[in-house]
Amino acid sequence: MRNLARAATVLLGSSMVVAVAAGPAAAAEIPTGARSLESVNLTGRYIRHSDYLGSVAAVTSSSTAQLKSDATFTVTPGLAGGAGCVSFQAANGMWLRHRDFRVRLETNAGTATFLADATFCVRDGSVSGSVRLESSNYPGRFLRHRDNQLWVDPSTTNPGTFAADSSFRVTTPWVAGRRSPVIKGLYGDPNIAYLNGRYYIYPTTDGYAGWSGTRFKAFSSTDLVNWTDHGTVLDLATQVDWSSGRAWAPTVAYRNGRYYLYFCGDTNIGVATSTSPAGPFTDALGRPLIAAGFRSGQMIDPAVFTDDDGQSYLYWGNGYAYAVPLNADMISFDPARVTTFGLPNFREAPFVVKRNGVYHMTYSVDDTRSENYHVEYATSTSPLGPWTHRGTILSKNLNLGIKGPGHHSIVQAPGTDTWYVAYHRFAIPAGDGTNREVTIDPLRFGADGMIMPVVPIL
Ligand code: FUB
């Protein structure tokens, strides 16, 4: 946990405004996290929102806290995807988007149009170290200032000044960001694992009405603080014949040089493989591993636990919790060996870890759209139960603005007895059950070997 605390100190301690972007040889990019953007030709003027419209305004160290906040955005991977594309979230949770080519601040509607309107692809700016932001759905139109207001205009507009009007220096933020979410942007159902010397997180890509996204992404880190975005590792829309959407809740496993990504597609569970944890993954079967209707409840939320003897078990379920030993090929099982458990209050997202010979079955309760969504757990001396209910380990904390924490996963730092839990919550401050964000906290065990309630660190 020391690393998490140290990084938070560094982030919170930065207030001086300096250029972040590198020299001219580097590909244009904007690091995720809290940033401000200064016009290159109106020095001292920064992109800000005012009355829900984008503009540029002078900001100085003596500006009001409100103005500094309005001129600070959390840069996230682009809501509509795309390599090198980003989105900008304001402190109130709303996003910069264009509508009628005017740049505005609005709440994510979760529609394809909104997500594309709120996604900008980063290009080189007119001067070294600056960037331009090209509309992802209107290529050739760039975010630029005109009479101090922000528009997305074609580059033929005011050709004499357009290049400079559309170029911005990325600076450290006027207002420091929070430590969390650890992955900037909207994601749910994080599956965390330690693979090949790095931590990986495989989440649901969130922000879509009805959880209708199609893309699975991967992120990796050595310190649980700084995360590399590996982009889309599997896209149901283009790579999986039997499903085109509702890409939910992936989980990863490793065996004999291959990585296995179990994933939900239209409430079936599939499995894809790769030789790298960073993907790309390829559908292994050309059909679901577990088809919708195979058993009662939704066939979603897979998780794999591999015991000390090398036997892997697949857990899944919504409304009913299931498990089955996986065959050695990791892509098949004996349906006759599927078992179901009676877990008090179980809704979904079963996840098992083993510590000191005790199997800990953790799972989510209530509805992910409810602020009361939470995590309970049970223990056993066998990976397949029977289970003894042990209570709640993670729940809302309204004093901290934490609502709906759940659909977690757990990882052990290699060679230690240090454990972490990754989970989602409603994005702070304006999220809901389809606008969720991912965080990580320490997971501690008491002297009795039981999991202690998680203490969230914002
Ligand atoms: O992300 C879509 C669904 O929401 C997951 O499958 C459930 O566990 C819930 O988190």
Side-chain angles (χ1 to χ4, degrees), residues 189 204 206 211 248-249 264 300-301 348-349 368 373 407 424 436:
D189 311 324
T204 297
D206 244 22
W211 307 283
W248 301 350
C264 307
I300 62 170
D301 292 2
E348 59 194 9
T368 193
Y373 194 59
H407 200 125
H424 72 229
R436 303 169 294 184

Side-chain angles (χ1 to χ4, degrees), residues 123 132-134 140-144 151-153 162 166:
R123 312 291 180 220
R132 300 168 78 197
L133 297 162
E134 186 172 15
R141 283 184 178 257
F142 293 82
L143 186 148
R144 61 87 59 99
W151 300 81
V152 284
D153 280 346
F162 188 87
S166 60

Side-chain angles (χ1 to χ4, degrees), residues 23-24 26-29 122-127 130-132 142 167:
E29 63 174 331
V122 183
R123 312 291 180 220
D124 285 323
S126 64
V127 299
S130 70
V131 298
R132 300 168 78 197
F142 293 82
S167 294

Side-chain angles (χ1 to χ4, degrees), residues 264-329:
C264 307
D266 293 316
T267 69
N268 306 271
I269 293 173
V271 56
T273 67
S274 176
T275 53
S276 165
F281 286 84
T282 305
D283 183 25
L285 297 172
R287 58 174 169 75
L289 173 64
I290 304 174
F294 171 72
R295 291 285 191 278
S296 297
Q298 291 190 61
M299 299 297 104
I300 62 170
D301 292 2
V304 172
F305 164 71
T306 300
D307 212 341
D308 303 331
D309 62 1
Q311 175 64 56
S312 294
Y313 299 85
L314 181 65
Y315 300 82
W316 76 95
N318 171 291
Y320 301 82
Y322 297 104
V324 70
L326 283 165
N327 291 337
D329 64 7

